[in-house]
Amino acid sequence: MLNSGPSARRAIPSLDRLLRLDAVAGLIARYGRPLVTEAARAELAALRAALSRRTARPDVAFDDRGFVRACAARLDRETQPSLKPVFNLTGTVLHTNLGRALMPQEAAQAVARAMTRPVNLEFDLEGGDRGERDLHVERWLVRLTGAEAALVVNNNAAAVYLVLNTLAQKREVPVSRGELIEIGGAFRMPDIMARAGCKLREIGTTNRTHLKDYAGAISPRTAALMKVHTSNYAIHGFTAAVAEADLAALARKHALPFIVDLGSGMLVDLEDYGLPHEPTPRESLAAGADVVTFSGDKLLGGPQAGLIVGRAELIERLRRNPMKRALRVDKMTLAALEAVLKLYADPRRLQAALPTLRLLSRPLAEIEAQAERLLPALRAALAGTAGAEIVAVKSQIGSGSLPVDLVASCGVAVSVAGKRRNAAAAQISSAFRALPVPVIGRVKDGAFIMDLRCLDDEAEFLAQLGELKFEPQRH
Ligand SMILES: *Cc1c(COP(=O)(O)O)cnc(C)c1O
């Protein structure tokens, strides 16, 4: 019991007594003693702080049940997974901050198998001795790109690093000034080249680079020629870039390897699915590239990985670089990648089977019909605090793919009228983020906009709308 006056703080029961309460035993069974002790300590400290700030009344009796409830709530909060599902209604299908590609069930099952059972990761089942981990996916990559050999590392940044570090350390690589890309702040081609130990030789200008610029830069210090796909921007107007085939011929003339960093790099022709063309590793190899690097979790629709395909002799040199060990992928990545690559064997089934492709090619009419279905429920949930209307929007592929070509889509815009539009849009956005499965949209022109292209689980979206808490601030 808490008494009034200065003795009140002494009336808070001891931690020991509280941990012996029957109701606390239930919490210990569920969460384990260390977490429960920590939570109980934190609750007691909060109560003492409230008493000393006089925000709690010292004359109110200590309430065991209330204390246990507070501990339970704290434990529930603190043991929620930090990495949790969200609705990606940003309009960017491959959103780096939201985990890029969604993977098919086949991949999830393959990962679960590889995680929970011993597997022949680096074990040759025929010979009974040591095997090579990349072999599990190499045959698929070779088949899908026409390369002689393939290798897998942690992401495409690692792929570019490994290629340059192996083939160009302490030597020069000429790169067009129009291709010195930055992807999402952390990946800058000049920085990666410096860390890989090779010297960037900038050639040409931002908008125009010619074959003679490459030819003029070649010296005994040159290690390779390189072309970087400008995945997340486009230079328009008076421009010139050198075609892969011409660069390949120049490289061959000087006995230099020709490297292409494709970034996204799709394994099939996207035009077959009604989408804009995206360069494929097969095209680059056919044009004469010796090594091509691309991401596993961009358009390919698989796990985070960096894929390197090309000439067997060069791939073997990459494999022998000690850095390969530091950049290698684990069994979960390989299991997911193998399952995804296998889907590409049947291009007719691919569209339905691969979530990235299914979402990107989702028919506009289907998204519009979904918006019509959701509108009444959204309006009901907002209960007049804000308006909701259907808007035409444009989805983008994201993660540095096809920056210029946007795909027509449909969304719902939530906004309030009047001068406080912009502030309200930010509050609406935060109310949707506070839902049990946070809804991530974007704020644009004074409205919170949800692009419905990637809304798969409509029922789950609707079921939680009743918990939306948005109170417009009035003045
Ligand atoms: C995305 C991209 C990278 C980096 O790939 P990650 O898989 O994100 O590491 C490198 N180069 C290009 C051209 C890219 O588009």
Side-chain angles (χ1 to χ4, degrees):
M1 303 287 279
L2 297 181
N3 305 314
S4 55
S7 61
R9 288 183 63 180
R10 251 174 286 138
I12 295 179
S14 73
L15 182 65
D16 266 359
R17 175 175 98 61
L18 291 169
L19 289 176
R20 283 196 302 273
L21 291 174
D22 281 347
V24 173
L27 290 180
I28 291 175
R30 179 152 172 215
Y31 295 104
R33 183 173 290 277
L35 286 180
V36 174
T37 307
E38 221 172 84
R41 245 192 218 118
E43 281 303 322
L44 285 180
L47 182 58
R48 283 195 199 95
L51 283 170
S52 64
R53 284 196 315 269
R54 296 173 196 277
T55 48
R57 287 180 41 203
D59 56 338
V60 174
F62 183 89
D63 170 13
D64 283 358
R65 301 242 308 269
F67 175 80
V68 173
R69 257 200 315 278
C71 286
R74 180 183 286 268
L75 285 160
D76 180 56
R77 231 175 21 246
E78 289 180 351
T79 54
Q80 288 290 328
S82 170
L83 193 62
K84 52 179 162 190
V86 301
F87 285 105
N88 172 14
L89 306 190
T90 58
T92 300
V93 178
L94 296 167
H95 199 299
T96 298
N97 305 142
L98 301 181
R100 289 194 185 166
L102 306 183
M103 258 163 286
Q105 279 306 323
E106 287 94 325
Q109 283 157 8
V111 172
R113 251 192 333 264
M115 285 173 85
T116 52
R117 307 187 56 178
V119 287
N120 58 334
L121 178 64
E122 287 184 353
F123 187 79
D124 173 7
L125 289 172
E126 268 173 37
D129 46 18
R130 198 178 178 287
E132 169 61 51
R133 67 174 60 207
D134 290 353
L135 283 181
H136 299 289
V137 294
E138 185 178 36
R139 66 193 176 102
W140 288 112
L141 286 168
V142 161
R143 192 170 173 280
L144 292 163
T145 63
E148 289 173 10
L151 183 123
V152 189
V153 286
N154 201 26
N155 50 32
N156 190 39
V160 173
Y161 173 89
L162 186 67
V163 168
L164 291 172
N165 181 258
T166 308
L167 305 182
Q169 204 181 19
K170 300 205 174 97
R171 293 166 67 202
E172 286 180 7
V173 179
V175 180
S176 160
R177 289 197 169 87
E179 298 176 0
L180 292 174
I181 58 162
E182 170 179 311
I183 309 271
F187 179 92
R188 291 180 137 190
M189 192 49 82
D191 298 345
I192 290 280
M193 294 183 82
R195 289 294 169 139
C198 74
K199 188 163 178 338
L200 163 66
R201 174 103 190 244
E202 294 184 29
I203 58 164
T205 60
T206 307
N207 56 329
R208 290 175 73 83
T209 301
H210 307 278
L211 192 61
K212 64 176 192 288
D213 295 321
Y214 287 93
I218 294 175
S219 78
R221 290 182 304 278
T222 309
L225 295 187
M226 181 173 193
K227 189 161 176 67
V228 184
H229 183 52
T230 56
S231 357
N232 57 357
Y233 63 94
I235 300 178
H236 292 287
F238 186 54
T239 63
V242 181
E244 284 176 354
D246 297 335
L247 275 181
L250 181 65
R252 213 168 304 123
K253 196 170 121 199
H254 293 271
L256 296 169
F258 175 40
I259 304 163
V260 176
D261 174 23
L262 271 189
S264 213
M266 188 43 167
L267 292 172
V268 290
D269 189 348
L270 278 185
E271 280 177 63
D272 292 346
Y273 303 89
L275 290 161
H277 183 76
E278 169 78 13
T280 65
R282 184 183 283 281
E283 289 165 357
S284 298
L285 291 168
D290 297 301
V291 180
V292 181
T293 62
F294 54 107
S295 289
D297 57 349
K298 291 187 182 171
L299 277 173
L300 195 147
Q304 180 190 302
L307 309 177
I308 311 175
V309 296
R311 283 199 3 237
E313 175 257 326
L314 296 176
I315 298 290
E316 188 47 38
R317 279 173 65 193
L318 301 179
R319 212 186 296 285
R320 286 198 309 264
N321 184 333
M323 282 307 291
K324 166 66 167 69
R325 169 65 183 244
L327 304 172
R328 73 181 186 185
V329 293
D330 72 348
K331 59 186 176 180
M332 292 177 270
T333 300
L334 285 169
L337 190 57
E338 182 185 15
V340 169
L341 291 174
K342 199 163 83 186
L343 295 177
Y344 278 89
D346 184 358
R348 273 174 318 141
R349 231 174 56 96
L350 189 63
Q351 188 163 21
L354 193 68
T356 299
L357 195 53
R358 177 171 53 76
L359 293 172
L360 278 171
S361 59
R362 221 181 135 197
L364 178 59
E366 189 186 306
I367 309 173
E368 285 170 345
Q370 187 173 41
E372 297 282 356
R373 280 197 302 277
L374 294 180
L375 190 64
L378 276 163
R379 285 190 170 146
L382 291 163
T385 54
E389 57 187 311
I390 294 178
V391 287
V393 292
K394 293 218 187 292
S395 312
Q396 52 183 25
I397 296 179
S399 288
S401 312
L402 309 170
V404 206
D405 300 295
L406 300 169
V407 193
S409 183
C410 183
V412 176
V414 181
S415 62
V416 303
K419 279 209 293 281
R420 293 191 35 79
R421 249 177 101 77
N422 286 320
Q427 286 160 8
I428 296 165
S429 170
S430 109
F432 275 90
R433 277 202 314 278
L435 286 168
V437 182
V439 174
I440 319 292
R442 69 198 147 100
V443 170
K444 191 168 171 253
D445 302 333
F448 172 64
I449 296 172
M450 293 173 276
D451 180 334
L452 301 180
R453 171 170 298 278
C454 296
L455 180 53
D456 254 338
D457 196 339
E458 197 173 312
E460 186 185 41
F461 179 84
L462 286 170
Q464 64 169 2
L465 277 186
E467 296 181 51
L468 187 71
K469 290 190 195 71
F470 169 64
E471 292 280 338
Q473 282 165 17
R474 303 195 186 283
H475 284 273

